[in-house]
Amino acid sequence: MKAAALCVFLAVFCFPLAAAHASGAPRIVVVAPAKDAGIAVRIRAELEALHFEVLDVEMEAEPPAREPLEEAARKSDAVAAVRIVPSSAGVEVWIVDRMTGKTVLRELVAEDEPPHGGSATIALRVVELLRASLMELDAPRPPPGEVAPPAVIREILAPRRAEAPRAAAARDKRPLLTFELGPSMLMSPGGIGPSGLLHTSLHIQRPSERFGMSAFVSIPVVPANLLGPEGTATARFGLLGAGLRGSFAPHAAAWNVNVGAGLSAVLLHFEGRPERPYAGASETLFTFAPYLRAGLGYAVTPHLRLRADVLTGVTVQRPVVKFSGRVAATWGLPFVAPSLGAELSWD
């Protein structure tokens, strides 16, 4: 009877452990003090998500070292061992990798996060440290380790290697829409002073990652004045344009250069305030102007950039301002509009 009971005990309690290890999942030992049990639970969850078999092992409260941690991994037939040790700034992480023969020691600083948020962050960083060590298995001359890496190790790492290029491509992928807003100043030689405008732009990143379509509107805010013995003329200018825009740096880069070109419509409104005995008049002119625009942007956040741009163009028809038959000023050969602004983007 006693022998039968012993057989039943072994079958019930020992067979599942043997079956789990026979399943091919590589073992990893985790050592953590009781007060850091939350971190150990998080690390276990992350490692099990990668299809490792995790074994919790207790060790004496002594200064951590490579030899006892390596011995704990060897006794458990584990490919690696992880030990968490409290420190003044957070926790010390010891990783002994028997496949590469490396020992990694890092101090991870605990951040002020919501309950259990710090444990999740530390667990993720521990797994990243382990993964970085395992990546050396594919080096031209793999480091000699105590045990050969199981075939499943490469299967565990393969998805992560495939995700890395996709993650980099996602970071470099440009957003579909960007909207720009900021002040601008419009100037042209010929006698009329500068005027202030509010510049707005909408950019669509199509048909490619480097080139897209762009449209802008510049609304008059501060008029320009022209003085003469006959009186004063107030000039207001508005711009409406569309064209192509190119970007010559990865979207994830801090600095980005843009160049654009297209056709704009120019609206000019003049209003005269004459001196006696002259008579005043108002007139609105409309013309077209091809333009070039170049600018530099700095990324404050992934979806916000600060920009400095310069737009320049030449009017197809030259507007002329006359005071009592006298040519008082001309405009548009060429014109220049520097601007500052903020650019918001949406995926």
Side-chain angles (χ1 to χ4, degrees):
M1 291 295 294
K2 291 183 179 180
L6 179 60
C7 291
V8 171
F9 175 82
L10 293 175
V12 172
F13 293 98
C14 298
F15 177 75
L17 295 177
H21 192 54
S23 64
R27 287 179 171 178
I28 290 184
V29 166
V30 174
V31 182
K35 67 177 182 178
D36 288 323
I39 296 177
V41 170
R42 293 281 184 170
I43 293 175
R44 169 188 281 273
E46 292 292 336
L47 292 174
E48 288 180 345
L50 291 176
H51 306 292
F52 284 103
E53 180 186 351
V54 182
L55 301 179
D56 295 319
V57 175
E58 295 183 0
M59 297 185 67
E60 296 182 3
E62 58 184 10
R66 171 192 173 93
E67 290 77 9
L69 191 58
E70 189 176 57
E71 182 63 23
R74 189 178 295 112
K75 287 182 179 180
S76 300
D77 194 21
V79 296
V82 177
R83 184 172 186 180
I84 306 299
V85 181
S87 68
S88 58
V91 296
E92 283 186 355
V93 178
W94 287 72
I95 299 177
V96 170
D97 183 353
R98 297 179 64 209
M99 293 176 291
T100 62
K102 288 185 56 178
T103 299
V104 179
L105 170 61
R106 293 289 188 275
E107 184 175 30
L108 304 182
V109 178
E111 301 176 355
D112 295 331
E113 299 186 16
H116 309 298
S119 299
T121 301
I122 291 175
L124 287 173
R125 294 172 69 181
V126 168
V127 173
E128 290 300 326
L129 288 173
L130 177 62
R131 184 179 296 115
S133 178
L134 296 179
M135 292 291 283
E136 295 192 12
L137 294 173
D138 284 339
R141 292 184 178 178
E146 184 180 2
V147 297
V152 71
I153 288 291
R154 302 187 184 280
E155 297 177 5
I156 291 173
L157 296 178
R160 296 292 178 171
R161 295 194 192 100
E163 289 171 8
R166 289 198 295 268
R171 288 193 300 269
D172 189 42
K173 185 178 181 180
R174 299 181 189 278
L176 176 62
L177 293 175
T178 58
F179 176 75
E180 181 184 346
L181 178 67
S184 176
M185 181 178 292
L186 185 60
M187 302 173 289
S188 177
I192 301 177
S195 62
L197 302 93
L198 178 64
H199 179 85
T200 63
S201 296
L202 181 65
H203 311 293
I204 303 175
Q205 202 61 41
R206 292 293 185 271
S208 71
E209 287 291 314
R210 294 293 183 183
F211 295 95
M213 296 177 288
S214 178
F216 71 88
V217 177
S218 294
I219 304 170
V221 176
V222 180
N225 293 316
L226 176 62
L227 304 178
E230 300 87 352
T232 303
T234 299
R236 297 180 183 273
F237 303 91
L239 299 176
L240 173 65
L244 297 177
R245 184 191 194 218
S247 299
F248 299 96
H251 177 67
W255 294 94
N256 195 7
V257 177
N258 300 103
V259 177
L263 182 66
S264 65
V266 185
L267 182 67
L268 307 91
H269 178 75
F270 297 94
E271 184 173 350
R273 298 193 300 273
E275 298 287 345
R276 293 181 180 180
Y278 299 101
S282 298
E283 188 172 357
T284 299
L285 303 177
F286 180 83
T287 186
F288 291 97
Y291 74 86
L292 294 174
R293 190 171 191 241
L296 182 66
Y298 176 75
V300 179
T301 71
H303 295 281
L304 174 64
R305 288 181 181 270
L306 300 180
R307 299 198 54 81
D309 295 84
V310 176
L311 183 147
T312 183
V314 177
T315 55
V316 175
Q317 297 177 336
R318 184 178 64 171
V320 178
V321 181
K322 294 183 178 181
F323 284 178
S324 297
R326 176 181 67 86
V327 176
T330 60
W331 191 90
L333 292 176
F335 63 85
V336 179
S339 64
L340 298 173
E343 185 180 75
L344 295 173
S345 61
W346 293 270
D347 294 331

